[in-house]
Amino acid sequence: MDELRAAVLRLLEREPPPGPVMAEDIFVVDSLAGHIERLGRTQTPVTAEGLASLCLAYAHAYVHPERLDEVVSLEDATLLAGRFARRRGGCRALAGQDALRRVLLHHGFALQMLFDIPKTVHLLDALLRRDLAPGAGAFAGLDLGTGTGILLLGQYLLARRHGHAAPRLWGVEHLLQVAGRADALLATLGVGRVVSGDATTSAIYNDVPQGNIACVTNETLPSCGRRLYKEPFTAISGALFTALGSRLDHAVFLPEAVWGSDRAGRNWLRLAPENAFAGDAGPMPARLFYMRDVELAGERIPADQVGASFHALVSPVWAEALGRRW
Ligand SMILES: C[S@@+](CC[C@H](N)C(=O)[O-])C[C@H]1O[C@@H](n2cnc3c(N)ncnc32)[C@H](O)[C@@H]1O
């Protein structure tokens, strides 16, 4: 029976796409700590290639925390991307790797966000282009719906690039196993802490470090054309502003604003910090609006075009195999 099961499983196996996940001449070979050290320096230019390589090194550390100190080569990154892409059906590189496969499956949703390299790079790039509001004081940052923690790492780099040696960063993630893994990795790196909890409840914000908040990232958005309530973005924003109020006055936000419309596109709503990302009450509540655009680095972009200008980082076959955020 075991042999039959093994034969059936082998039938489901396919190999990941051929070739490396990124072009060799643009991939930056370094350890995760090396990437963080370099990108945390103000003088280091922020490049798409550098951010994509950071994402792949971060994915490697998230999946293989015991190898955190290693330099991540393009071969390592490609092997991991291929195993991730084939986590359900299997492939030769996953044969006999049951524990690893379980990690990839249990963290599949969070990793899929991270592995959408063009969109993740676009978000990081927009974040790192932000100026901090004057008067925010010491850098305290919140990431709501933390997933693997890549945006919390982005906040760390933003803070370091603005001269904050020891930012206080705090994330909330409701999937227990994801929060635990992100917390362990980010705590080891000295980046911040992640708690497991529901970011739509105001009580969770009692644990936020005291003082003004310098930055909030909240990427819990539905895909373009779906109603906003399909994901908790508006509910999280409501709880956040109720709990922290004026402590958010100096914060920069990612996304900077979210645009929704009714089905026909006749009535539009801009959710932004000025209205606590709640919009004008109007006859229709914000959560019933359809997701349309986001503002990133001062630019208004249809949500399905986020990442479009970074597509060339990953070949089309790899992009297809790795899946998408939204
Ligand atoms: C779209 S993902 C973004 C993850 C990460 N910020 C990134 O950019 O890769 C949204 C994350 O929010 C988490 N999430 C959804 N609802 C939540 C809630 N009510 N409280 C806390 N986390 C939540 C999901 O489990 C998921 O990891």
Side-chain angles (χ1 to χ4, degrees), residues 109-115 120 123 143-152 171-175 178 195-201 204-205 217-222 231-233 235-236 254 325-326:
F109 181 66
L111 283 167
Q112 186 160 326
M113 304 300 124
L114 176 59
F115 268 120
T120 306
L123 296 174
D143 183 28
L144 311 174
T146 304
T148 60
I150 187 66
L151 296 183
L152 213 52
V172 192
E173 166 57 52
H174 74 164
L175 296 177
V178 174
V195 298
S196 159
D198 181 357
T200 66
T201 58
I204 196 92
Y205 301 98
T217 47
N218 175 7
E219 197 280 86
T220 54
L221 290 164
E231 293 294 336
F233 181 85
I236 290 177
L254 180 97
R325 272 177 183 263
W326 25 262

Side-chain angles (χ1 to χ4, degrees), residues 224-238:
C224 211
R226 289 173 68 85
R227 288 205 201 241
L228 285 173
Y229 75 77
K230 294 284 184 187
E231 293 294 336
F233 181 85
T234 51
I236 290 177
S237 301

